[in-house]
Amino acid sequence: MGILVYDNVTMIDVAGPADVFSHANSFGADYETLLVSADGRSVKASNGLTLTAELPAAEAGRLDTVIVPGAYGMISRPFEQALTDAVTTLTAEARRIASVCTGSFLLAQIGLLDYRRATTHWTRAAQFAKAFPRVRVDSEALFVRDGHIITSAGVSSGIDLALAIVEDDCGPRVARQVARQMVVFLQRPGSQSQFSAPSRDHLAADNPLRRLMDTIAADPAGDYSLARMSTIANVSTRSLTRLFHDDIGTTPARYVELIRIEAAQMMLKAGASVAEAAARSGFGTSETLRRVFVARVGSSPSVYQEQVRSAS
């Protein structure tokens, strides 16, 4: 399992999958995880810690699996030739190729994702689609498989991706043991939405959205038509839409849906019935909640509730 590292790489994109494979070895797997850099030198991760590469890409030989993590700011400038050359070399004969977060940009840069489905961090999905029009971008999935290539959304989804790899290689029992050992939730399918409702904490104190977001969180079942939300925020409907786009990265309606999904999840975890969770979270009927859950979470509310119980 070769993980490419380079300066400013996101640490969790590296450490998350590496820890999954290490834990899997405790339950009978036989993974050997190598850190590989373009020239074999150590690199400094985005959090300031040093990662020691074990060898340069040119000397890595044929790897079973290659994982290309992402980095903050990596897509704001052209990639260094040495980095893209390293990706080309490592992936040339690999049986399986995976990326975490904006690592998908590196795979796309060398043409590996042409005419394939792929994902990346949702905040970079539009840029990804514009930069690589041949890629069929899925902006919501936690991870996407297309043939022997798996791309994931970033941050904790790298752990989801690694658990899926363990399940492929060693079966669901080992994957479940690893998830329990790491105290993470195993049953997050790749189709589950990577979105969660953004926090208000990053907004300035005078931002009109702060009051609105607090109101929605306190009463997710309330009336949140665009006109009603504009009144609460004391801005025009046009301004409200612009504020959500610029400050939150989504639409007002989508934000309300995210809050309601999270509210329903919390209620289901606490033991509420599907009908009760639907009514109290603002979805109204069990069928509406089921439809949204299948589309956004990747399973029905009842299956989700059972997964939560079995993972506890």
Side-chain angles (χ1 to χ4, degrees):
M1 314 297 284
I3 302 179
L4 177 65
V5 295
Y6 49 92
D7 283 330
N8 205 42
V9 69
T10 303
M11 178 64 85
I12 195 171
D13 290 1
V14 177
D19 275 357
V20 169
F21 302 137
S22 176
H23 281 288
N25 286 344
S26 301
F27 298 106
D30 188 24
Y31 291 116
E32 179 184 2
T33 304
L34 303 173
L35 296 186
V36 182
S37 67
D39 56 10
R41 297 179 182 178
S42 298
V43 302
K44 184 160 288 190
S46 59
N47 60 7
L49 298 180
T50 298
L51 291 169
T52 302
E54 296 171 74
L55 70 172
E59 298 178 14
R62 183 173 183 176
L63 298 169
D64 178 82
T65 301
V66 172
I67 297 178
V68 179
Y72 297 113
M74 69 178 293
I75 58 177
S76 62
R77 56 186 180 276
F79 296 125
E80 294 181 3
Q81 188 64 46
L83 183 57
T84 55
D85 287 348
V87 177
T88 300
T89 298
L90 291 172
T91 59
E93 298 184 8
R95 180 178 68 89
R96 180 170 51 201
I97 301 166
S99 67
V100 185
C101 197
T102 51
S104 56
F105 280 73
L106 280 166
L107 298 186
Q109 181 68 34
I110 65 171
L112 284 178
L113 300 182
D114 285 357
Y115 309 109
R116 293 182 182 270
R117 288 181 61 242
T119 193
T120 191
H121 194 283
W122 70 272
T123 61
R124 298 293 179 263
Q127 184 178 353
F128 190 38
K130 183 177 180 180
F132 304 105
R134 294 179 180 177
V135 180
R136 291 154 46 207
V137 180
D138 185 335
S139 62
E140 295 195 10
L142 281 174
F143 60 89
V144 170
R145 297 174 185 264
D146 193 320
H148 69 299
I149 299 178
I150 314 172
T151 53
S152 67
V155 195
S156 63
S157 70
I159 295 175
D160 295 291
L161 177 147
L163 285 168
I165 288 174
V166 170
E167 184 166 358
D168 287 345
D169 295 343
C170 308
R173 178 174 173 273
V174 173
R176 182 174 296 278
Q177 288 174 316
V178 172
R180 286 176 174 171
Q181 186 73 20
M182 295 181 66
V183 199
V184 295
F185 187 44
L186 174 62
Q187 302 291 340
R188 292 212 301 175
S191 59
Q192 179 172 325
S193 175
Q194 61 176 283
F195 292 107
S196 61
S199 169
R200 66 186 279 284
D201 294 341
H202 72 286
L203 299 177
D206 60 351
N207 190 306
L209 294 185
R210 287 185 65 134
R211 181 186 175 194
L212 174 60
M213 293 169 78
D214 286 345
T215 301
I216 298 171
D219 181 21
D223 169 20
Y224 298 115
S225 63
L226 190 60
R228 173 61 178 156
M229 286 192 282
S230 297
T231 298
I232 295 171
N234 196 28
V235 296
S236 68
T237 55
R238 182 175 181 179
S239 294
L240 184 74
T241 301
R242 178 183 56 78
L243 283 168
F244 266 97
H245 177 273
D246 294 348
D247 295 345
I248 308 300
T250 189
T251 66
R254 178 72 172 116
Y255 180 80
V256 172
E257 183 180 76
L258 290 172
I259 289 290
R260 287 175 171 170
I261 289 172
E262 292 190 352
Q265 287 176 310
M266 291 178 64
M267 294 172 197
L268 291 168
K269 288 179 182 179
S273 68
V274 174
E276 183 182 6
R280 290 173 54 200
S281 63
F283 288 109
T285 67
S286 299
E287 175 56 30
T288 301
L289 178 60
R290 188 200 66 79
R291 185 172 64 251
V292 173
F293 244 65
V294 170
R296 301 302 184 188
V297 180
S299 65
S300 69
S302 57
V303 169
Y304 172 84
Q305 192 170 52
E306 182 58 35
Q307 290 171 344
V308 171
R309 288 170 179 165
S310 64
S312 62

